[in-house]
Amino acid sequence: QNGGYAASDGEWFYYRSNDRMSIYKMRLDGSEKTKLNDQQSSYIGVIDGYVYYYASGGNSGVWRMKTDGSQQTCIYSGTLEDMCIVDGRIYFKNSLDGLKLYSMELSGTDVHREGDLDHLYYLAFWDGKMYWANQDDGGCLYRANYDGSEATRLTENAVDTVRVADGWIF
């Protein structure tokens, strides 16, 4: 979350650099800095030996590569926002469909829209629920299941940013 500018697998730290926003990795102690790609990258996630990321520019889409930088493959073509890996699926707001929430398998298969929710600003996921502010409703905070079901308004007041961790909403 937070734009996915960095992620870790517990041994390596993967991050977006300021040199054209490409992805680098380095050991947690700061040694062995290695450049992995030459794409403008964001929404970095690392799971099961792969780095997942969104590449913007000429070949916009969701990409994955091995943690050594090999086998760079586009698994979903298109523009999107707020990509996040949650419970073995990739969730994102699809720019080609009014920023509605979509998800897909880590392989890029089984792409589908998660309900009819829209205006999901500051999207965050935690423990089977997603949280967001709806700017068309004064910025109030909402919660729903990952598939968009059981949407519930949580506040009457506007929120600027939403972060969820350890059972707390910030």
Side-chain angles (χ1 to χ4, degrees):
Q1 297 183 28
N2 286 334
Y5 300 131
S8 177
D9 61 7
E11 183 178 346
W12 293 90
F13 181 56
Y14 302 83
Y15 62 96
R16 183 176 92 171
S17 180
N18 60 0
D19 72 336
R20 297 180 15 136
M21 299 184 279
S22 51
I23 298 175
Y24 282 76
K25 75 175 186 177
M26 70 178 169
R27 293 208 175 269
L28 297 181
D29 66 5
S31 66
E32 298 183 49
K33 181 178 173 181
T34 306
K35 186 174 184 175
L36 298 181
N37 75 352
D38 283 313
Q39 296 166 291
Q40 292 181 1
S41 306
S42 58
Y43 304 118
I44 301 167
V46 181
I47 189 167
D48 296 334
Y50 284 95
V51 178
Y52 295 84
Y53 59 98
Y54 172 69
S56 55
N59 292 320
S60 294
V62 179
W63 288 70
R64 79 176 189 175
M65 64 180 156
K66 294 272 196 173
T67 55
D68 65 3
S70 66
Q71 299 182 21
Q72 294 181 18
T73 306
C74 181
I75 60 173
Y76 178 85
S77 293
T79 55
L80 56 90
E81 292 182 13
D82 293 338
M83 186 182 104
C84 188
I85 300 171
V86 181
D87 294 339
R89 290 188 68 81
I90 299 172
Y91 289 82
F92 59 93
K93 295 185 317 192
N94 188 334
S95 297
L96 301 176
D97 190 12
L99 296 177
K100 291 197 182 323
L101 184 65
Y102 277 67
S103 75
M104 67 180 170
E105 294 289 330
L106 295 176
S107 63
T109 60
D110 188 31
V111 179
H112 62 269
R113 188 166 70 190
E114 299 292 353
D116 288 326
L117 298 175
D118 57 4
H119 306 293
L120 304 170
Y121 297 97
Y122 316 118
L123 185 61
F125 295 88
W126 178 261
D127 198 28
K129 302 287 184 188
M130 59 182 179
Y131 300 83
W132 72 94
N134 184 330
Q135 297 302 72
D136 285 351
D137 190 18
C140 297
L141 180 65
Y142 283 81
R143 174 186 66 210
N145 296 322
Y146 293 165
D147 65 2
S149 65
E150 299 184 28
T152 304
R153 185 175 178 169
L154 298 177
T155 67
E156 297 298 321
N157 299 324
V159 297
D160 252 349
T161 305
V162 177
R163 299 293 175 251
V164 183
D166 296 330
W168 291 90
I169 303 169
F170 299 91

